[in-house]
Amino acid sequence: MAHPVLTLVAQRVALGLLLLLAASVLIFVGTQILPGDVAQAILGQSATPETLANLRQELGLNEPVVSRYFGWLFGVLQGDLGTALSNGQPIAPALGTRLGNTLFLAATAAVIAVPLAVLLGLVSVRYRNRWPDKVISAVTLATISVPEFLLGYIVIFFFAVQYRLLPSLSTVYDGMTMGERLYAIGLPVIVLVLAVLGHMMRMTRAAILNVMQSAYVETAELKGLRPFTIIAKHAFPNAIAPVVNVVMINLAYLVVGVVVVEVVFVYPGMGQYLVDHVAKRDVPVVQACGLVFAGVYIGLNLIADLVSILANPRLRHPK
Amino acid sequence: MKDDLARLIDWIDAGGMSRRGFLGRASAFGLAAALGSAVLPGQARAEEPKKGGILKIGLGGGESTDALDPGLADGPAAFNVNRQWGDCIIDVSAEKELQPRLAESFDSNEDSTVWTFKIRKGVKFHDGSEMTVDDVVATFKRHSDENAKSGAYGIMQGIKEISGDGENVVFTLSTPNADLPYLLADYHLIVQPKGGVDNPNAGIGTGPYKVKSAEPGVRYVFEKNADDWDATRGHYDGVEFLIINDTTARTAALQSGQVHAINRVDPKVAKLLSRAPGVQVKSVAGPGHYVFIMHCDKAPFDNNDLRLALKYAINRQELVDKILDGFGSVGNDVPINSSYPLFDEALPQREFSLEKAAEHYKKSGHDGSPIELIVADGAFPGAVDAAALFQASATQAGIPLVIKRVPDDGYWSDVWNVKPFCASYWGGRPVQDQMYSTAYLSTADWNDTKFKNAEFDELILAARGETDEAKRKEMYAKATTILWETGGVICPMFNDFVDGVSETIVGWVDDPNLELMNGFISSKTWFA
């Protein structure tokens, strides 16, 4: 009999893959029922019945949906995402660069936001209902409430136009050094950190406060431990599961939900790429992007699940 | 706006030049063009260009689906990109004169059915190969091929045969056309090695800058073409385009000095931007215009009195002031203005008159049922607001105008050219014939007002082949008046090209053809 944690992990991974498959069906069906026929969208005003029929034939649109779906799925499983209809180029390389950029921005924001949110959460609990807690809550709730594009314009106004500390354009390209890249994405990172900080910080605070009611925390207090040691060493480990869940949701948001920030700062990420191709009804690209996004979401949630499982001592050390 | 007056004077000058410049015969053209470029107006004349530096431009209107194939260029970014690496055989100057480029000179036979362009020698493509007559012929043949999906396909329709003859390229037309050189200046028609048949996206041309890297929708980098055949242009070491579709981001990039020029400044912020330090706003009147279009063959718009009632009921000046923030000029219910060669200034300006509107409305005998105007945000910038202003003034004249607002998605396929009364826009065309042939001849595919008038058709077709300039102008004047009196187009305003340029840029010339000096900003300006 395998270790129960291994079984659980295997189950979760299998479930994740199944979900991904279901998502691929949804994406495929979704793109099929988009208003307007692909051939019509490509030809636009110059469409005639003959050219439409020819193009449908060329794109394989006359085959049944099910066989087209499996054709696409097998291609994807072999790493072939197909070619873009709009410019005839293979999708994978272009998508790869865009995905790399998106992950770079998300990772940089996450490296700053996650530790900062947890630390601020701990500080809030330590000084709960006193001024540091109130200031932290007020500021983070305010930044999460301001729409991101406005936050973007505000930081552009102050940091780029008024004081010229950071560039307002975050275009990154091949041949830039790591330092240049980090400098270029300074402003969007600030906006993203401000956008996700509040949620994670509030959740950390709530989860720890919940644990703080427990008997063992009272014991620790009676032992005379320093308040911060109690919070960090005794309460926080038991609050990890809910915190990790929120962190993962926010990470997923950093990857798939930043179209607006990309547009404001002209950052060549996945969001803008997807929007351009949806407008042109470039279905293969939309499907590929959808699948990548679904994969990111499912993957991060899977990690959250696994961390929650592993953070539970009763599961790690079965009797 | 400090230079309104100056702009107006420039404009009148430009109009004058264009009429004088339209001579219709080759050797004279060559001479006129040479003089034209020697006598550049303003600062360009006063200073010797300085070399060096990297010009950075922020462009709106670029997508990650853009291709380098000049035939597929359908947005501002693609247009400006192609201007860097490519050349046409002929250009239309800021003064509306024809300037032979890769052609040295041109000529036509007596009735304008056979046009001969002498191709320049010693021009090298960026890949080092020599440009030949065959390359030019292959280029035009490619754009004439339906499969190439070229934006210039329509222009090429009137050409029966394209052939090389020694050092000349000869175009044989199916019907006479005295405007052919203007049409061949179309920005899609860039000469590529072997016509670009093997690889239309190569980005190899004869232009002032070579494509170093192209990331559609993100960034384009160009370097100076050291072997440029035209030594008088291309003063920068390199050019960089950044695609910035967000208006506010584009404006901020110019203000923060990250780019030296931007296109498409939002008229609403243009006045504020012009007050920012180090930045100037360039507003140039062009042929683009916004319209409300009525189908002349559908009730109630089949009644000319009703059409006239609506035409009199729109307050054009108010629309220019409020929708364009003054960055434009009033329209006159015809699709052409003084930016066109052979424009007839004698056509009276239709005034805003509630009395006349009410009078014509009464005469039309309309039953008083609501007249529905369909608009979408995407019809033109500010279309919904413009419709609301139109409705307000029409109501004062007793016309029951109602607005139906629809989404942008599907507007151009389901509403425009389908519904009897809607908002739309036109980018304009280089010559009157092309504008009228595209949208106002009875037989035109895009006759979006369903305007069918035999006399008008006859005049336009006759003018196309007429080589006597005075007669031609008279024909256009007659045709324009017919459209003005009975057409289905309400044209409230012509919109300006509004660009933002850093004060470090010297040599700017207002060019009414297209934005950013007709795409030649990198060719013709330099750093102070």
Side-chain angles (χ1 to χ4, degrees), chain A residues 21-52:
Chain A
L21 193 68
S24 77
V25 174
L26 274 180
I27 291 164
F28 194 84
V29 172
T31 49
Q32 297 307 310
I33 58 176
L34 268 182
D37 168 281
V38 184
Q40 178 82 50
I42 295 173
L43 290 174
Q45 270 167 330
S46 62
T48 63
E50 299 89 67
T51 54
L52 273 177

Side-chain angles (χ1 to χ4, degrees), chain B residues 50-133:
Chain B
K50 269 191 215 149
K51 304 275 173 191
I54 305 283
L55 178 70
K56 293 188 182 182
I57 300 180
L59 293 175
E63 292 170 38
S64 40
T65 50
D66 287 341
L68 276 180
D69 179 349
L72 301 182
D74 63 352
F79 157 72
N80 281 294
V81 164
N82 293 336
R83 279 286 197 234
Q84 308 310 306
W85 63 265
D87 282 310
C88 298
I89 60 169
I90 190 164
D91 284 337
V92 178
S93 74
E95 295 81 28
K96 288 276 166 185
E97 288 179 359
L98 289 164
Q99 282 185 322
R101 301 296 296 165
L102 293 180
E104 249 170 26
S105 60
F106 54 92
D107 200 353
S108 81
N109 64 351
E110 199 55 42
D111 61 355
S112 310
T113 50
V114 178
W115 285 84
T116 309
F117 286 75
K118 187 178 170 202
I119 301 303
R120 195 176 289 276
K121 287 203 197 74
V123 178
K124 280 203 169 84
F125 285 116
H126 295 164
D127 61 3
S129 61
E130 189 100 4
M131 182 193 70
T132 64
V133 168

Side-chain angles (χ1 to χ4, degrees), chain A residues 45 153 164 168-169 266 276, chain B residues 64 243 246 255 258 416:
Chain A
Q45 270 167 330
Y153 292 153
R164 303 206 176 184
S168 70
L169 299 178
V266 201
D276 282 354
Chain B
S64 40
I243 306 303
D246 185 74
Q255 278 182 279
Q258 280 192 284
W416 175 75

Side-chain angles (χ1 to χ4, degrees), chain B residues 49-289:
Chain B
K50 269 191 215 149
K51 304 275 173 191
I54 305 283
L55 178 70
K56 293 188 182 182
I57 300 180
L59 293 175
E63 292 170 38
S64 40
T65 50
D66 287 341
L68 276 180
D69 179 349
L72 301 182
D74 63 352
F79 157 72
N80 281 294
V81 164
N82 293 336
R83 279 286 197 234
Q84 308 310 306
W85 63 265
D87 282 310
C88 298
I89 60 169
I90 190 164
D91 284 337
V92 178
S93 74
E95 295 81 28
K96 288 276 166 185
E97 288 179 359
L98 289 164
Q99 282 185 322
R101 301 296 296 165
L102 293 180
E104 249 170 26
S105 60
F106 54 92
D107 200 353
S108 81
N109 64 351
E110 199 55 42
D111 61 355
S112 310
T113 50
V114 178
W115 285 84
T116 309
F117 286 75
K118 187 178 170 202
I119 301 303
R120 195 176 289 276
K121 287 203 197 74
V123 178
K124 280 203 169 84
F125 285 116
H126 295 164
D127 61 3
S129 61
E130 189 100 4
M131 182 193 70
T132 64
V133 168
D134 292 342
D135 293 322
V136 180
V137 171
T139 295
F140 286 106
K141 283 199 168 150
R142 184 171 83 86
H143 289 277
S144 316
D145 179 3
E146 197 174 357
N147 292 326
K149 299 196 179 93
S150 169
Y153 178 67
I155 291 173
M156 305 306 290
Q157 284 308 285
I159 301 174
K160 200 163 64 185
E161 201 196 327
I162 304 155
S163 59
D165 172 23
E167 55 190 4
N168 299 323
V169 174
V170 181
F171 297 87
T172 312
L173 312 186
S174 22
T175 52
N177 191 343
D179 279 342
L180 185 79
Y182 280 99
L183 303 186
L184 296 185
D186 185 280
Y187 64 84
H188 297 96
L189 297 172
I190 285 174
V191 177
Q192 293 175 279
K194 302 194 176 59
V197 177
D198 327 324
N199 184 4
N201 289 305
I204 301 282
T206 56
Y209 298 98
K210 295 181 184 182
V211 178
K212 205 163 145 195
S213 80
E215 258 186 279
V218 182
R219 181 173 177 259
Y220 295 85
V221 183
F222 306 90
E223 59 187 353
K224 171 82 187 131
N225 173 14
D227 296 326
D228 193 1
W229 60 273
D230 181 354
T232 62
R233 65 173 180 182
H235 308 301
Y236 300 101
D237 291 336
V239 179
E240 200 177 312
F241 285 174
L242 293 164
I243 306 303
I244 314 174
N245 288 322
D246 185 74
T247 314
T248 314
R250 203 158 61 240
T251 317
L254 180 66
Q255 278 182 279
S256 66
Q258 280 192 284
V259 295
H260 303 109
I262 57 172
N263 66 349
R264 305 201 157 189
V265 174
D266 184 351
K268 290 194 176 62
V269 302
K271 276 177 189 150
L272 293 172
L273 184 64
S274 64
R275 275 184 232 136
V279 172
Q280 29 185 346
V281 170
K282 301 285 188 184
S283 176
V284 185
H289 52 284

Side-chain angles (χ1 to χ4, degrees), chain A residues 134-152:
Chain A
K134 285 182 178 155
V135 168
I136 292 171
S137 284
V139 170
T140 53
L141 283 177
T143 59
I144 205 174
S145 310
V146 177
E148 280 163 40
F149 74 91
L150 183 59
L151 216 50

